[in-house]
Amino acid sequence: SRLVLKSLQCFRTMFGDRQVRPIYNAYLALALAQIQDGKRSFDGVHSEKEVFAALMVKSAYTRIVPALLGRLPITRNFLAHSYMTSLHHQMLDDLKDLKDDLESNTFTPYTYYVRSKGVNPDFRHPLATYLRAICMIVNKLGGHPEVRRLWASRLILALRVFEFKGGKGALRKF
C-alpha cells in the first residue's frame, strides 16, 4: 500500500541505505507471516508447526523491529531470545482474547482448537503447548525460581482474565 511505501521511504531517510535493509527485511518477515496467517481457515487441517511458526515470527518481530528502530545491536543471542521468549506473550494474549477472537473469526491457536475439535485430533490444546514452551524457556534461562514464579504469575493472570471475560465457569468449559 502507499502508506507502507511512504513509511519505508521515511525509514530510508532517517536511517540511510545501509541501515534500512534490516528494517525492510523485518517488515517483510512480519508481512509474510501475516499473509500466511490470513490464508488459514477453521475448516482446514493445520499442523501445530504450521500454526505456531507464523505466530512465532510475528511475536519475535514485535521485539526485533523496535530494537532495529532504536539502533540497538541485533546479535545472535538477541534473535534467539526474541524467538524463544516472545511466543508466550502472544499466546497469553490470545487466551485472554479468546471470546472476542471467536466472535470476530480471528484465527489463533486457541480459536482453531475450539472450532476444529474433531476435525484435527492431532492438534493439541494450546495451553499444553504453552506450558511446554514455558518449561523450555525456564530451563534455557537456568531454572531460576524467580523466573518460574514470573511465568506462573503471568499464566495465573491470563487465566483470571479469561474467566472474567468468558464468565463464571469459562475455564471448566474450555
Side-chain angles (χ1 to χ4, degrees), residues 146-172:
E146 283 300 312
V147 173
R148 289 177 197 266
R149 279 194 281 282
L150 171 69
W151 296 115
S153 68
R154 288 195 42 79
L155 176 59
I156 290 167
L157 176 63
L159 293 172
R160 286 181 178 158
V161 170
F162 177 81
E163 181 82 4
F164 176 77
K165 283 183 164 185
K168 190 168 175 77
L171 279 173
R172 280 190 297 275

Side-chain angles (χ1 to χ4, degrees), residues 73-162:
I74 307 299
T75 64
R76 221 175 258 226
N77 284 342
F78 173 77
L79 289 173
H81 188 77
S82 293
Y83 275 98
M84 181 178 64
T85 62
S86 61
L87 178 63
H88 80 280
H89 290 295
Q90 187 61 49
M91 287 190 71
L92 286 181
D93 277 349
D94 288 349
L95 172 64
K96 292 186 287 188
D97 296 338
L98 178 60
K99 184 176 185 271
D100 298 332
D101 288 344
L102 283 169
E103 290 169 2
S104 66
N105 279 332
T106 302
F107 189 98
T108 71
Y110 295 102
T111 57
Y112 178 62
Y113 178 79
V114 168
R115 291 251 167 94
S116 69
K117 278 195 175 173
V119 174
N120 188 357
D122 294 329
F123 195 86
R124 290 175 287 179
H125 196 295
L127 276 178
T129 304
Y130 171 79
L131 292 171
R132 184 169 175 258
I134 292 305
C135 286
M136 289 171 49
I137 292 168
V138 168
N139 290 336
K140 180 86 173 168
L141 297 176
H144 193 278
E146 283 300 312
V147 173
R148 289 177 197 266
R149 279 194 281 282
L150 171 69
W151 296 115
S153 68
R154 288 195 42 79
L155 176 59
I156 290 167
L157 176 63
L159 293 172
R160 286 181 178 158
V161 170
F162 177 81

